[in-house]
Amino acid sequence: MPHARETAVYTHGHHESVLRSHTWRTAANSAAYLLGALKPHMRILDIGCGPGTITADLAALVPDGHVTGLDREPGILGRARAEARERGLVNVGFAVGDVHALDFPDDTFCVVHAHQVLQHVGDPVRALREMVRVTKPGGFIAVRDADYAAMTWYPASPGLDDWLDLYRRVARVNGGEPDAGRRLKAWAVAAGLTDVSATSSTWTFSTPEERAWWSGLWADRTVASAYAGRAVDAGHATRGRLAQVAGAWREWGARDDGWFAVLHGEILCRKDA
């Protein structure tokens, strides 16, 4: 059988439309549930760090500690290193690695954090067990993932219904679980964690600027990203259908009454001392 890390493909890829979203993310808008647990001295592992905006925010919050940003894609780490340099952060470093097999000793980090990662991996329970392994006793495992089936919007749009159905099918064929948010607590329990705090939070896009940004990046992602290629190659959609979905996104974004909410599940788990 293939190694677990080979059973899932990162659905989005690293097209500009994807990075447009990733570089918008901050510790405040994407990891607020964790921030109250942070102390200045902590050592943090940020898994799936991408372009490093959350990683850099975390490093600024632990000035006497250190943050390691980890990603499977070596190319994206150049962006992350540039982000840290631009902010003048000296307590942050980056490495290539896979969450299913972390190349760190047991009990290394005070916090192990993963944002929008477990929805894309082949074996989320195994990934969580690895996260627990490298966390110090008494330390925290912090995970946040979107739940696609729980996303909601107004006004109704058959084109966006089509987008959601298509995305969920493509993500699952790629080996991921797009509705990960609702499953995080169950995965944590299956991984053997007993001290689990499960919460939720949302991103909401409603102002003209927010609608234009969110609809624009999804319209572009639908026709130009790795996701688009995988949808076509696997026979889930034609290029014409993808263009129609992208058009629906732009139509929604132009609506003065448009509103979109992205629900996220969150777990903050403490490792047994």
Side-chain angles (χ1 to χ4, degrees), residues 153 155-167 218 222 227 241-252 260:
W153 57 85
S157 167
L160 292 192
D161 291 340
D162 197 20
W163 158 77
L164 183 58
D165 172 69
L166 177 63
Y167 178 83
W218 267 110
T222 298
Y227 155 70
R241 182 183 176 192
L242 293 180
Q244 291 175 341
V245 171
W249 268 112
R250 296 195 186 280
E251 290 173 9
W252 172 84
F260 198 108

Side-chain angles (χ1 to χ4, degrees), residues 3-25:
H3 192 283
R5 66 183 173 187
E6 297 174 351
T7 65
V9 174
Y10 180 46
T11 296
H12 298 292
H14 291 89
H15 184 263
E16 182 278 329
S17 60
V18 179
L19 295 181
R20 201 184 314 163
S21 171
H22 291 181
T23 55
W24 167 82
R25 298 172 184 175

Side-chain angles (χ1 to χ4, degrees), residues 16 19 49 54 64 66 89 98 129 134 141 143 148 160-161 186 196 214 220 243 249 260 265 272:
E16 182 278 329
L19 295 181
C49 66
I54 296 176
D64 302 323
H66 188 272
L89 296 166
D98 172 36
R129 287 176 179 147
V134 301
I141 300 92
V143 179
Y148 276 75
L160 292 192
D161 291 340
V196 181
W214 184 243
D220 291 344
W249 268 112
F260 198 108
D272 292 340

Side-chain angles (χ1 to χ4, degrees), residues 97-271:
D98 172 36
V99 67
H100 294 104
L102 296 171
D103 191 20
F104 301 101
D106 296 356
D107 306 337
T108 298
F109 299 98
C110 306
V111 176
V112 178
H113 168 261
H115 183 262
Q116 311 287 33
V117 171
L118 293 191
Q119 64 182 281
H120 297 295
V121 305
D123 190 340
V125 174
R126 175 179 172 178
L128 277 165
R129 287 176 179 147
E130 270 295 273
M131 294 170 71
V132 173
R133 180 185 64 78
V134 301
T135 301
K136 294 180 179 181
F140 294 96
I141 300 92
V143 179
R144 185 176 191 255
D145 268 278
D147 192 301
Y148 276 75
M151 294 184 186
T152 189
W153 57 85
Y154 185 88
S157 167
L160 292 192
D161 291 340
D162 197 20
W163 158 77
L164 183 58
D165 172 69
L166 177 63
Y167 178 83
R168 292 172 74 220
R169 285 191 287 112
V170 172
R172 288 198 169 112
V173 167
N174 286 343
E177 175 45 71
D179 305 338
R182 70 188 64 191
R183 291 170 165 80
L184 295 183
K185 182 179 180 182
W187 288 340
V189 171
L193 287 157
T194 57
D195 187 347
V196 181
S197 174
T199 56
S200 63
S201 61
T202 61
W203 291 335
T204 303
F205 306 100
S206 179
T207 68
E209 295 78 15
E210 290 166 348
R211 292 195 316 271
W213 180 78
W214 184 243
S215 64
L217 70 86
W218 267 110
D220 291 344
R221 191 181 301 190
T222 298
V223 296
S225 70
Y227 155 70
R230 288 166 184 146
V232 172
D233 291 345
H236 294 290
T238 64
R239 289 288 176 183
R241 182 183 176 192
L242 293 180
Q244 291 175 341
V245 171
W249 268 112
R250 296 195 186 280
E251 290 173 9
W252 172 84
R255 291 283 302 248
D256 291 339
D257 58 352
W259 177 91
F260 198 108
V262 179
L263 178 70
H264 295 83
E266 304 158 343
I267 52 170
L268 185 62
C269 315
R270 187 184 287 270
K271 181 176 177 178

